[in-house]
Amino acid sequence: MSELTHLTLAQARDALRSKKISATELTKAHLNAMEKARLLNCYITETPELALDQARQSDARLAEGNAGPLEGLPIGVKDLYCTKGVRTTAASRILDHFTPTYESTVSSNLMRDGAISLGKLNLDEFAMGSSNETSAFGPVVSPWRRRSDPEAKIVPGGSSGGSSAAVAAHLCLAATATDTGGSIRQPAAFTGTVGIKPTYGRCSRWGIVAFASSLDQAGPITRTVRDAAIMLRSMAGHDAKDTTSVDLPVSDYEKAVGQSVKGRRIGVPKEYRIEGMSPEILQFWDQGVAWLKDAGAEIVEISLPHTKYALPTYYIIAPAEASSNLARYDGVRYGLREAGRDIADMYEKTRAKGFGSEVRRRIMIGTYVLSAGYYDAYYVRAQKVRSLIKQDFDLAFAAGVDAVLTPATPSTAFAQGEQGSNDPVEMYLNDVFTVTVNMAGLPGIAVPGGCAANGLPLGLQLIGRPFEEETLFALASAIEQAAPKIEYPKPWWA
Amino acid sequence: MSQKASAKYLKGATGDWEIVIGMEIHAQVTSQAKLFSGASAEYGGAPNDHVSLVDAAMPGMLPVINEECVRQAVRTGLGLEAQINLRSIFDRKNYFYPDLPQGYQISQFKHPIVGEGMVIVDVSPTERISVGIERLHLEQDAGKSMHDLSPTESHVDLNRSGVALMEIVSKPDMRSAEEARAYVSKLRTILRYIGSCDGNMEQGSLRADVNVSVRRPGEKLGTRCEIKNVNSIRFIGQAIEVEARRQIGILEDGGVIAQETRLFDPGKGETRSMRSKEEAHDYRYFPDPDLLPLEFDQAYVDGLKAQLPELPDAKRARFIEQYGLPPYDAGVLVMERASADFFEQTAKGRDAKLAANWVINELFGRLNKEGLDVAQSPVSAAALGAIVDLISSNVISGKIAKDLFEIVWSEGGDPAEIVAARGMKQVTDTSAIEAAVDAVIAANPDKVEQAKAKPTMLGWFVGQVMKQTGGKANPQAVNDLLKRKLDV
């Protein structure tokens, strides 16, 4: 059965359509793999009965020739997406046993197209983290192991660490994820998977637990560029329930995969050569440049002068919005409630117990930067810098650049406990190459490019013009073709 | 416009004081649905009946602006002759309270939908003032906390949570409780004309936060206190009076006013402290990232302007001009759009001044007494017009007309038919009157003699003739005949 889980999403789709396999056997293969992989802690909630029930319905539709674009394809859903009748946790204690009566727009788009949900994937609490270590349901273990010390538990990145690990470990064909400062691209880079954060407004945010509303965006994590294109086509689209979603037609992204990139202009930003970057990452970046050049793209050096302010600015805006977005978790209407002497005491006890330390830290930072006397110095200035960051990209694109190539992360994955335990900023630095993209609302894709000397994967990032995801799929597939094929780890956990 | 300021000063123990009043009015927008959700905005319903996922702030829910509320805010702004801002921004006002599910209220802080405007207020038949409008913005109402349903628990009803409010902020342009009452009353009239708020203060559709300070005439503004959530025009007046007296008392005793928020207790006739400036919340306002800036073009505003109904000031001016009404009568008639319409239907093709008298004195007087509004009047405009016609054509006297009005009020029916059927017609036939006059003269020779000496006796003869004719004789004709026959 294991070869079924090793199909790509596209291969599985074609095999289902040609009736070589059934949705039920494909689903069972994945459920079986999930059962053996509990050590990795990818799923917070597994929904085997629901999955098998959906698989039966998919088989019936496939038999009738009435199949949707994703008919019968088992996927995992990040547990930040509200799912009707299925517990949704945001990896936090504060939601307790919260079971939504509604389905997020993006997950319901996927179900509409025939996808089967295997369960809810682990993440950093409220998507706040870069290693999946802040989850109230325990960290996710990456299927990848370091050559030097194979016993060390490697992190899958975050916040979509359950998604990236489950895809890399073949525990689903694809997964939904979300990205506020790099939460799709960084875990994809850490696990040798593909992750795209589309343009802000491309996917509806309705029904996804909010972290930072002006930055949050849904996207997929998959094993191939083609699979990402297939997933995004179903996930994207205008939604009247989210006024920040954009009413533009959704292209058939799959058609862009494998398209020639000849003559495409690729900008290489000099400011991304940050101090202390390992020579291995720099070399890998140069390799990416060479691959695209070989594929016929034109390479130009560009300047994005405000890059160095992106991370500090991000850590003002994102916590500010989060401090307000998370105010609704107050113990009054749903989720955890800790009894108190009075209402203020109840709030304090509930929120102290319900939120983990990283979430509390960000709520406090956010409350601080919005408070009277500090608002102008922090929040207002951060918004101004944000405009400048966006302007940097606008100027590069106006000068004819089609996409920007950068490393996805400043390092390969690390082991649990290795980063951020003494200084949270150390962990925040993981997002240094990815946050600019959220700040500017642009699409960004992480694509694997091989492995480092330590045996762990490395990812490149391509940043595109607003709503030109097709360009990213074409360029990413050129890299995918040129790069050494990713050999996902053998299931040492099973 | 006159501002007889000196008459408005309050006398303190040490001299005159001037009250300075500004108001924030919260007016519930008339719309089917809430400001950012599709749930019903209707008053009432079982607790938590009108609550959507958005109103309950379930995880992942997003606000979507209700265009009807935007339309109503713009129309109201136009009615206040105010600047309409083509771009405005919704902000989050952050604070924790159980009846505020999101943990923030969506409001407009730095960039409201409506800017400066003005309201003309008739304080009395002889005094008009103009009150500046600082701004109008849209915001969500909160739910309702109930602390008296259980000894150990509080209950929350979210039916009102998310209902659209317009907060209308005045400039500190009022100088007496009377002016403040007249301002709220006028604002309410404008809102009801436009149809953007029903103005129902009992149901909380219109609530006022009143800012009061006092100063020596001519001096700079004193420290103000804000009296929260006053929910009737009468209480607004009372609250201002007692708060001004309290502040004067403190100042005259050499004290200082602490800036604070206070509550008015109508039962005890006092205001008391709710929270001081130090305890004031830090609301951490910032633009709501879930909502794009609210933008529309001038053509949209112009379109709404073209469709606005005639507003009370314009109507009042027209009534004075077109019908020759005294300004005070015109002012009374335009207070409610329905009243003005009733008057115009009654007056159509008739003596407008007479019609206005009947509408104001008889009809409104009676409606007030019965606690009815004009829409519930048992006497229709057509019937009242018919009564006016019967008076104008001398068919009935003013006195008979009052009886007729009573009959139409309680029994209904066509006034002309009632007059005919019940023989209420005024006798203008001089031969019939003459017979009665002759009979009275013949029966009272002694009185005739007296009358010749003392012409004021004529009144007695008039009374006798009226008695004989059952009150239906035209009094003027009786008078004329008697004068001639008695030669007085």
Side-chain angles (χ1 to χ4, degrees):
Chain A
M1 293 262 265
S2 79
E3 55 276 18
L4 285 179
T5 61
H6 282 64
L7 296 172
T8 67
L9 188 83
Q11 288 165 346
R13 173 190 64 184
D14 298 343
L16 283 166
R17 283 194 187 157
S18 57
K19 312 234 167 34
K20 288 195 184 97
I21 58 170
S22 73
T24 301
E25 59 182 329
L26 187 62
T27 303
K28 278 183 178 162
H30 281 95
L31 291 171
N32 188 37
M34 284 157 63
E35 210 181 303
K36 290 183 187 150
R38 301 242 167 88
L39 180 75
L40 301 182
N41 200 24
C42 291
Y43 284 86
I44 290 175
T45 306
E46 296 179 7
T47 53
E49 292 85 6
L50 281 173
L52 288 170
D53 191 46
Q54 284 178 298
R56 275 187 291 276
Q57 295 177 35
S58 282
D59 281 328
R61 281 194 290 271
L62 284 158
E64 290 161 15
N66 197 15
L70 298 177
E71 197 67 62
L73 299 171
I75 62 165
V77 174
K78 185 177 183 178
D79 207 10
L80 201 62
Y81 289 65
C82 290
T83 43
K84 189 175 180 175
V86 176
R87 180 177 71 152
T88 299
T89 69
S92 180
R93 288 285 168 216
I94 202 138
L95 276 163
D96 206 20
H97 289 285
F98 176 66
T99 302
T101 57
Y102 49 92
E103 184 80 28
S104 83
T105 298
V106 169
S107 56
S108 81
N109 287 349
L110 289 164
M111 302 306 136
R112 170 204 67 201
D113 284 356
I116 292 166
S117 174
L118 296 164
K120 305 295 293 290
L121 292 162
N122 205 343
L123 66 150
D124 279 299
E125 184 179 7
F126 281 101
M128 296 177 188
S130 301
S131 63
N132 220 298
E133 290 170 288
T134 72
S135 170
F137 295 84
V140 172
V141 178
S142 173
W144 290 89
R145 295 203 280 189
R146 234 167 12 204
R147 209 163 273 155
S148 55
D149 53 343
E151 292 313 304
K153 288 178 174 169
I154 301 300
V155 303
S159 69
S160 309
S163 304
S164 65
V167 170
H170 300 95
L171 309 180
C172 54
L173 291 175
T176 71
T178 62
D179 190 318
T180 304
S183 281
I184 289 175
R185 292 157 290 155
Q186 184 256 17
F190 275 13
T191 56
T193 55
V194 177
I196 181 164
K197 180 205 91 74
T199 313
Y200 185 77
R202 183 66 289 185
C203 291
S204 168
R205 294 183 296 114
W206 192 88
I208 298 174
V209 174
F211 163 10
S213 310
S214 74
L215 301 158
D216 294 347
Q217 199 44 215
I221 291 180
T222 57
R223 289 191 288 271
T224 69
V225 174
R226 179 178 300 277
D227 290 357
I230 294 168
M231 281 288 284
L232 185 61
R233 189 190 182 190
S234 288
M235 294 167 78
H238 178 241
D239 180 5
K241 291 184 289 193
D242 174 5
T243 49
T244 63
S245 87
V246 175
D247 194 1
L248 279 174
V250 179
S251 311
D252 183 356
Y253 298 124
E254 197 181 352
K255 285 192 177 139
V257 177
Q259 248 178 27
S260 164
V261 298
K262 208 167 193 147
R264 294 288 193 164
R265 234 175 186 207
I266 306 303
V268 177
K270 58 181 183 206
E271 289 82 3
Y272 281 58
R273 288 177 192 277
I274 56 169
E275 218 176 293
M277 221 163 128
S278 82
E280 194 176 24
I281 296 283
L282 285 170
Q283 209 182 347
F284 170 62
W285 189 7
D286 289 341
Q287 179 60 254
V289 169
W291 285 330
L292 287 178
K293 208 183 224 167
D294 290 347
E298 185 193 336
I299 309 298
V300 290
E301 193 188 69
I302 61 164
S303 175
L304 301 169
H306 297 94
T307 300
K308 62 171 176 272
Y309 304 115
L311 200 63
T313 313
Y314 171 84
Y315 274 98
I316 291 169
I317 291 172
E321 294 183 11
S323 70
S324 178
N325 281 335
L326 269 58
R328 65 187 55 200
Y329 307 107
D330 58 5
V332 174
R333 298 169 313 287
Y334 50 79
L336 183 74
R337 179 191 291 184
E338 287 289 295
R341 283 186 313 278
D342 53 25
I343 186 72
D345 194 43
M346 187 279 274
Y347 285 152
E348 283 170 16
K349 290 204 165 97
T350 299
R351 289 167 65 85
K353 184 163 183 198
F355 291 134
S357 62
E358 183 59 30
V359 173
R360 290 205 301 270
R361 181 183 354 262
R362 297 201 196 188
I363 290 173
M364 284 190 277
I365 293 171
T367 304
Y368 178 81
V369 299
L370 288 177
S371 59
Y374 299 99
Y375 178 77
D376 289 333
Y378 290 102
Y379 187 80
V380 172
R381 277 184 85 186
Q383 288 292 8
K384 285 179 184 159
V385 175
R386 183 176 184 176
S387 311
L388 293 172
I389 291 166
K390 183 170 185 306
Q391 190 192 302
D392 284 352
F393 282 102
D394 290 345
L395 290 172
F397 292 135
V401 166
D402 292 306
V404 175
L405 181 74
T406 77
T409 54
S411 71
T412 58
F414 41 89
Q416 283 177 17
E418 270 180 7
Q419 272 196 18
S421 46
N422 296 318
D423 179 6
V425 175
E426 191 184 17
M427 186 67 81
Y428 297 170
L429 285 169
N430 270 286
D431 296 334
V432 69
F433 298 138
T434 47
V435 285
T436 51
V437 178
N438 301 77
M439 298 288 271
L442 301 171
I445 192 167
V447 58
C451 287
N454 63 10
L456 296 177
L458 287 164
L460 287 163
Q461 172 180 237
L462 287 154
I463 305 163
R465 297 176 178 195
F467 302 102
E468 291 190 13
E469 281 79 6
E470 285 161 292
T471 305
L472 296 187
F473 285 123
L475 289 164
S477 84
I479 291 174
E480 188 178 50
Q481 281 165 31
K485 189 170 160 35
I486 289 285
E487 293 296 338
Y488 290 106
K490 298 269 181 303
W492 51 263
W493 54 87
Chain B
M1 233 164 278
S2 67
Q3 176 75 268
K4 286 179 287 181
S6 58
K8 299 199 168 162
Y9 296 156
L10 281 183
K11 289 260 180 287
T14 58
D16 283 347
W17 293 90
E18 186 178 42
I19 319 179
V20 177
I21 304 153
M23 256 189 274
E24 291 160 24
I25 301 284
H26 291 91
Q28 186 188 324
V29 177
T30 301
S31 74
Q32 301 279 312
K34 296 183 179 182
L35 184 53
F36 296 111
S37 85
S40 167
E42 203 182 315
Y43 178 77
N48 298 309
D49 252 10
H50 302 162
V51 183
S52 75
L53 295 168
V54 175
D55 307 324
M58 300 306 279
M61 290 301 101
L62 299 172
V64 176
I65 184 80
N66 177 347
E67 282 173 34
E68 175 61 11
C69 298
V70 173
R71 198 179 76 91
Q72 293 286 38
V74 171
R75 295 176 72 242
T76 305
L78 290 168
L80 302 175
E81 291 173 44
Q83 160 84 32
I84 306 297
N85 295 322
L86 301 181
R87 185 175 196 270
S88 62
I89 289 173
F90 285 103
D91 296 284
R92 292 185 183 178
K93 179 181 180 178
N94 295 281
Y95 65 96
F96 283 93
Y97 206 70
D99 60 23
L100 187 76
Q102 294 163 139
Y104 54 85
Q105 176 197 35
I106 306 178
S107 180
Q108 296 189 300
F109 185 50
K110 282 192 180 154
H111 304 281
I113 185 166
V114 175
E116 291 190 335
M118 190 194 61
V119 177
I120 302 288
V121 179
D122 290 289
V123 183
S124 72
T126 53
E127 191 195 359
R128 311 187 89 183
I129 60 165
S130 112
V131 175
I133 296 295
E134 181 70 38
R135 58 186 280 161
L136 175 156
H137 68 252
L138 281 167
E139 63 181 29
Q140 297 177 298
D141 203 351
K144 195 166 76 178
S145 293
M146 288 162 286
H147 305 292
D148 51 1
L149 297 178
S150 147
T152 52
E153 292 176 311
S154 288
H155 289 73
V156 177
D157 177 5
L158 296 179
N159 281 354
R160 305 199 47 84
S161 165
V163 164
L165 301 178
M166 294 180 283
E167 180 173 322
I168 304 167
V169 183
S170 85
K171 298 196 170 179
D173 284 354
M174 289 154 278
R175 296 290 177 268
S176 69
E178 192 189 11
E179 290 186 4
R181 283 199 309 264
Y183 165 72
V184 177
S185 170
K186 180 60 179 285
L187 195 61
R188 187 170 171 270
T189 297
I190 294 171
L191 294 170
R192 288 168 60 95
Y193 261 68
I194 290 170
S196 60
C197 171
D198 66 21
N200 190 326
M201 296 187 86
E202 276 159 32
Q203 292 179 0
S205 307
L206 199 72
R207 313 190 285 266
D209 296 344
V210 190
N211 286 294
V212 178
S213 65
V214 297
R215 64 177 173 188
R216 294 292 190 186
E219 288 191 356
K220 65 179 177 59
L221 289 173
T223 303
R224 69 188 156 86
C225 290
E226 182 182 20
I227 312 164
K228 276 271 177 210
N229 257 329
V230 193
N231 63 0
S232 88
I233 291 181
R234 195 161 57 94
F235 289 163
I236 289 170
Q238 289 173 3
I240 291 168
E241 302 269 355
V242 301
E243 176 59 16
R245 283 287 167 201
R246 184 188 74 86
Q247 293 184 14
I248 291 168
I250 291 171
L251 293 170
E252 292 196 326
D253 286 348
V256 288
I257 305 300
Q259 187 176 333
E260 60 184 358
T261 304
R262 301 180 68 85
L263 281 175
F264 175 60
D265 181 339
K268 292 188 177 152
E270 61 178 32
T271 65
R272 58 171 178 270
S273 184
M274 193 175 145
R275 58 174 178 261
S276 69
K277 192 183 176 184
E278 289 71 36
E279 295 165 309
H281 296 292
D282 179 354
Y283 290 120
R284 290 170 282 122
Y285 282 101
F286 75 108
D288 191 331
D290 284 333
L291 292 158
L292 301 171
L294 177 58
E295 291 177 312
F296 42 79
D297 57 18
Q298 189 58 41
Y300 171 76
V301 178
D302 294 343
L304 291 178
K305 193 170 189 175
Q307 285 162 28
L308 275 188
E310 184 181 35
L311 294 177
D313 290 337
K315 203 181 276 292
R316 179 178 176 277
R318 180 169 64 79
F319 280 10
I320 294 168
E321 160 82 22
Q322 181 180 337
Y323 299 114
L325 299 185
Y328 181 74
D329 286 2
V332 171
L333 288 171
V334 304
M335 285 271 285
E336 294 286 342
R337 196 168 158 182
S339 307
D341 290 349
F342 193 98
F343 159 72
E344 290 212 89
Q345 285 164 39
T346 307
K348 197 172 181 186
R350 303 192 171 97
D351 178 344
K353 282 187 188 172
L354 186 61
N357 280 338
W358 275 83
V359 170
I360 294 170
N361 298 322
E362 296 308 319
L363 184 74
F364 288 1
R366 190 65 197 267
L367 288 170
N368 266 341
K369 206 170 122 193
E370 306 283 336
L372 298 175
D373 60 48
V374 75
Q376 298 165 297
S377 170
V379 178
S380 68
L384 192 60
I387 295 174
V388 170
D389 282 343
L390 292 167
I391 302 167
S392 300
S393 55
N394 280 326
V395 175
I396 56 172
S397 67
K399 189 177 171 298
I400 293 288
K402 289 186 186 183
D403 297 340
L404 177 59
F405 178 82
E406 272 308 309
I407 295 167
V408 178
W409 177 282
S410 45
E411 297 169 27
D414 177 66
E417 283 170 16
I418 294 168
V419 166
R422 307 198 186 186
M424 295 168 82
K425 212 172 226 166
Q426 182 165 248
V427 180
T428 42
D429 172 1
T430 29
S431 63
I433 297 171
E434 200 167 353
V437 167
D438 289 345
V440 171
I441 288 174
N444 297 284
D446 52 330
K447 297 277 199 245
V448 172
E449 283 312 306
Q450 289 175 25
K452 287 194 195 285
K454 196 181 166 199
T456 48
M457 274 297 289
L458 199 67
W460 182 86
F461 281 95
V462 173
Q464 292 302 306
V465 175
M466 292 309 278
K467 211 184 223 169
Q468 282 234 340
T469 57
K472 285 179 283 185
N474 183 326
Q476 193 56 48
V478 175
N479 223 22
D480 292 349
L481 275 168
L482 279 169
K483 271 185 181 166
R484 183 157 53 81
K485 301 239 170 187
L486 295 173
D487 195 21
V488 294

